[in-house]
Each structure stands twice: as C-alpha cells, then as structure tokens.
Amino acid sequence: TTELDFTLLRKDFPILDQQVNGHPLVYLDSAATTQKPQAVIDAVAAYYQNDNANVHRGAHALSDRATQDFENARTKVATFINSPKREQIIWTRGTTESINLVAQSYVRSMVTTGDVILVSALEHHSNIVPWQIVCEQTGAELRVIPVNAAGEIELDEYYAMLNESVKFVSVNHVSNALGSINPVKEIIDAAHKIGAKVMIDGAQAVPHFAIDVQTLDCDFYAFSGHKLFAPTGIGVLYGKEQLLEQMQPYQAGGEMIEVVSFNGTSYNKLPYKFEAGTPNIAGAIGLGAAIDYLNQLDRPALLAYEDRLLAMATEKAKAIGGITLVGTAKNKTGVMSFLLDGAHPHDVGTLLDQQGIAVRTGHHCAMPIMQQFKIPGTIRASFSFYNNESDVKRLFTALEKAKSFLI
Ligand code: PMP
C-alpha cells in the first residue's frame, strides 16, 4: 500500500473533509471513537431506507431481509475474530456491556469469599468497576497486576500472583490511555495452568490488528463497534461455547426465551439467550459493513503505516523539548499520551481545538494509572490509517503555538 493509496483511503471518510474553527480538521481522537467510512454510512442508511423491520419474528419480507442482514453481520464478526461458531458471538451495546455481562452472568456465580479476581493497573474503568461490584456481591477480592514506569504489565509479578485462589483474570489487549500492547497470550496461558479463566478487553486492539480468539485461547473477548469504524451502540462479546452454555441470562425479556409460562420459563439457545429485547439492528449491519471494508484492505500495511505516524510523532515530541511522553512501552500502537510541561492538559486541548486539532485530554477513564504516575491526566493523540504526516505536522505546529501561550 503506497502513500497515494492512503490519500485515497482518507477520502472514504467524508467527515474528515471539513473546517473546524477556521482550520482544516485534524482528527487525532480515534481511540475515543473512530470515524466511519462512506460504506458504513451507506449500509446503515440503506437498511433504514429499504429493509427496516424487527428481526426474528416477522412473517413478512422486510423482517426476513432485516433478519438475514443482521445474522450475516454476526457471521462476519465470527470470521473476523476466528470464532469456532457464529453462535459464540453475542451482540451487546459495546465493550462495557460485554464485560458487565461476563461479570454478572459468569464470574458472580463462580467466585466466593477468599477467591481472587485479577486486573492490571492499566485498565479502563469499564474493566475495573464491574469486578469491584462482583467482589462486593460475593466477598471475592480484586487484586491488581503491577505496571512499570513505561506502562508495561509486569509479567513476573503477575506469575507470582497466580495461585489456586485466582479464579478470573481480565486485562486489556491494548491500553487506551498509553497505547501499550499487553502480552495477553502469556497472561492467558499462565492463568489456564492454574485453572483460572481469562477475559480480554479488545476495544483498542481490533482497530489495529487481526484477532484470532482460538490462537489466543481466551475464554472471553470483548470489543466495541464504534472503535472499529462502525456505529455506536453495538458491540461484541465472544465466549467459549461451553462457558456461554453454562451461564445464566444477563437481561430478561423478549428474544431470550424459549417458552414463557407462569409455571416457569425456559431460555433460548445461544446466542439469543443473552440478547433480550429488540437489538441494535442497524448497528450490527453497520459493523458488518465496517468488517467488509477492512477485509478488502491490507491490514498489516495499515498497521505499519499507523506505526510510522506514531513513530514520527514520538520523534518530534522528543525533539521539540518541554514534552513528557507518558507510556513508553516497547510494544505499543495507536496512542501518544503526553504532557506539555508546566501546562494543564485541558488548556492544551482547548488551544489545539482552536487550531482545528481534535485530541482527548484527561484521565481517559483510566484514573488508577494516572494516580500511579501522579498526574491528573494527559493529552492523547491517537492515530488511525486515515491520518497522515500532515496531521502530525499540524499537531506539532499547534503545540508550539500552545507552548508560547501557556509557558
Ligand atoms: N476498554 C478500553 C480499553 C477502551 O478504550 C474503552 C473505550 N474507551 C472501553 C473499554 C469501553 O468501551 P465502550 O465505551 O465502547 O463500552
């Protein structure tokens, strides 16, 4: 894939072609949510224009079409992450709901007082708070795998924490706050040796590289559509079949039942057991379209390109002085988190926005790692394949200007 191709790819994302505060938009907030290619926008619009109906119940043509498209999208997700069966793909609202589902429907019933759940110090709040709640409900204890000053999980300390009390481990694949790529394969294999199950929060991994849940051998994997060039409000939980079979429903209502009577109710088969109520049909179809879009691209080339932009930004940050990089893991992708020395991240973010540059500032829903580094938050520039070198240059021109204002 040549630079020219990337110029063409950028044109697939119509939102990028606009002025913000009198400047051409530079969107460096893809870790918060990615922009959507025209193909996804068209798929969602076409669904509402031509096929809109409720799924699985109608005895009419539109309902059949909606159901087929909705279920085809599930098959696309299954293939995308190499799930053994399409029935192991559960639609959720996003990563957050996927984690809460596993916390309440699986872990809550399998842990008790004295048992331990492990998360890392580098988690998003959505991979911390659901486990705190399960611990309150059950008497289990939440312990934290340490992370070093570079923002890397300390594997040796993790191995030392593993004993027969540890029943469940949940870690992210890629950190949204720092961009660290975590050694999830090693984490999964070590947990399995002591009989613990493992959930991987893949929200920031799926947009960057291919996932194979069978090679990883994770018990659960979660991600959000909106970080994968698809709409908000749709997400995925993958689980091992035997675990999903043994789990209780998460929410109750229509769709998740087989037979309902006042003498007792039986539940539907997988995946519907976990999909109470009318689902986000357009969202699922949009996610299917996003996967089709990615499948026709050379994904390793996209990643190499993104990593080149990240390397370029990192070099510039080191060169201009007055910038402290936060998170310097050897293995990282997508995210440059940093501080402008002597300035509050929010003030920097505001000055960048005035120059048309969209970044995120703050704790990035990962307060514990900010507490460890004793900082209130960072400025985060995050990259996707629709960014280019000009975006990186614009960021640094704007940062120089912010510096002259603030320091
Ligand atoms: N985990 C990680 C690593 C994330 O980056 C995010 C989104 N910032 C989430 C979980 C939560 O995802 P969502 O808000 O889409 O449920």
Side-chain angles (χ1 to χ4, degrees):
T1 315
T2 63
E3 294 296 328
L4 183 68
D5 296 330
F6 283 103
T7 309
L8 284 177
L9 276 189
R10 187 180 173 99
K11 292 197 198 310
D12 292 340
F13 295 81
I15 202 172
L16 298 175
D17 184 19
Q18 66 173 286
Q19 302 272 315
V20 168
N21 295 325
H23 302 271
L25 168 65
V26 170
Y27 187 77
L28 294 175
D29 198 18
S30 294
T33 199
T34 51
Q35 297 304 347
K36 320 307 173 199
Q38 189 65 50
V40 168
I41 299 168
D42 288 347
V44 172
Y47 164 72
Y48 280 122
Q49 267 170 19
N50 307 321
D51 307 320
N52 176 52
N54 211 330
V55 288
H56 299 141
R57 9 184 179 249
H60 59 86
L62 265 57
S63 176
D64 281 347
R65 291 209 297 264
T67 303
Q68 244 174 40
D69 290 350
F70 177 74
E71 290 301 332
N72 280 345
R74 194 191 306 272
T75 306
K76 289 174 191 176
V77 171
T79 309
F80 186 65
I81 61 171
N82 196 28
S83 170
K85 293 187 182 171
R86 62 188 302 287
E87 290 79 7
Q88 291 166 261
I89 303 299
I90 316 291
W91 295 123
T92 64
R93 282 192 299 122
T95 308
T96 302
E97 190 175 50
S98 299
I99 297 172
N100 277 278
L101 193 166
V102 173
Q104 289 303 312
S105 291
Y106 181 64
V107 181
R108 184 181 181 177
S109 62
M110 67 74 91
V111 295
T112 179
T113 311
D115 287 341
V116 171
I117 300 169
L118 294 182
V119 297
S120 87
L122 189 54
E123 298 305 322
H124 190 280
H125 296 159
S126 66
N127 198 25
I128 298 173
V129 185
W131 309 117
Q132 289 176 323
I133 291 175
V134 166
C135 287
E136 275 169 28
Q137 289 164 334
T138 60
E141 188 192 335
L142 187 64
R143 288 193 194 151
V144 184
I145 309 161
V147 165
N148 67 20
E152 296 163 325
I153 288 178
E154 298 270 28
L155 266 186
D156 285 340
E157 300 211 32
Y158 165 66
Y159 295 145
M161 292 171 89
L162 291 174
N163 57 44
E164 67 279 9
S165 304
V166 175
K167 295 294 187 297
F168 202 81
V169 180
S170 191
V171 292
N172 65 72
H173 201 162
V174 174
S175 156
N176 67 307
L178 306 182
S180 321
I181 303 174
N182 295 314
V184 291
K185 181 67 186 153
E186 287 83 346
I187 289 171
I188 293 162
D189 289 349
H192 284 168
K193 284 207 181 97
I194 56 139
K197 304 288 189 227
V198 185
M199 170 151 209
I200 304 296
D201 165 359
Q204 299 291 344
V206 284
H208 297 293
F209 48 80
I211 303 302
D212 182 331
V213 290
Q214 295 189 62
T215 305
L216 284 177
D217 196 29
C218 52
D219 298 288
F220 300 98
Y221 199 96
F223 64 92
S224 301
H226 72 98
K227 294 185 198 273
L228 189 70
F229 316 100
T232 52
I234 187 75
V236 169
L237 172 67
Y238 157 84
K240 283 192 178 158
E241 186 177 24
Q242 171 239 334
L243 298 178
L244 293 173
E245 287 290 1
Q246 89 189 49
M247 282 158 60
Q248 287 297 301
Y250 175 53
Q251 294 182 335
E255 196 78 357
M256 50 75 68
I257 51 82
E258 181 186 45
V259 179
V260 176
S261 85
F262 288 112
N263 298 323
T265 289
S266 55
Y267 304 134
N268 207 335
K269 60 187 194 298
L270 290 176
Y272 310 110
K273 182 172 83 171
F274 296 108
E275 294 181 357
T278 300
N280 183 351
I281 304 162
I285 289 170
L287 179 50
I291 289 172
D292 286 343
Y293 176 79
L294 287 172
N295 282 343
Q296 44 101 34
L297 300 175
D298 176 352
R299 295 203 73 204
L302 300 188
L303 178 63
Y305 174 77
E306 292 166 0
D307 284 347
R308 261 200 333 274
L309 294 180
L310 178 61
M312 179 183 166
T314 307
E315 286 314 305
K316 278 187 180 290
K318 286 179 181 159
I320 74 166
I323 286 185
T324 303
L325 291 170
V326 183
T328 50
K330 271 193 233 59
N331 214 357
K332 65 180 281 187
T333 195
V335 166
M336 183 175 77
S337 238
F338 63 99
L339 293 164
L340 192 55
D341 302 339
H344 196 281
H346 291 299
D347 297 336
V348 180
T350 305
L351 285 171
L352 292 181
D353 179 51
Q354 284 171 7
Q355 302 175 74
I357 320 270
V359 295
R360 181 153 172 192
T361 63
H363 52 65
H364 316 298
C365 298
M367 280 190 196
I369 196 68
M370 300 296 145
Q371 289 155 5
Q372 175 177 329
F373 290 158
K374 299 192 170 51
I375 53 177
T378 70
I379 305 148
R380 182 185 71 186
S382 52
F383 300 92
S384 186
F385 57 82
Y386 45 64
N387 292 117
N388 58 27
E389 293 194 0
S390 158
D391 292 343
V392 177
K393 287 181 190 146
R394 288 267 315 278
L395 169 66
F396 282 90
T397 310
L399 274 173
E400 294 279 15
K401 201 157 169 189
K403 222 169 111 179
S404 68
F405 267 108
L406 293 170
I407 302 165

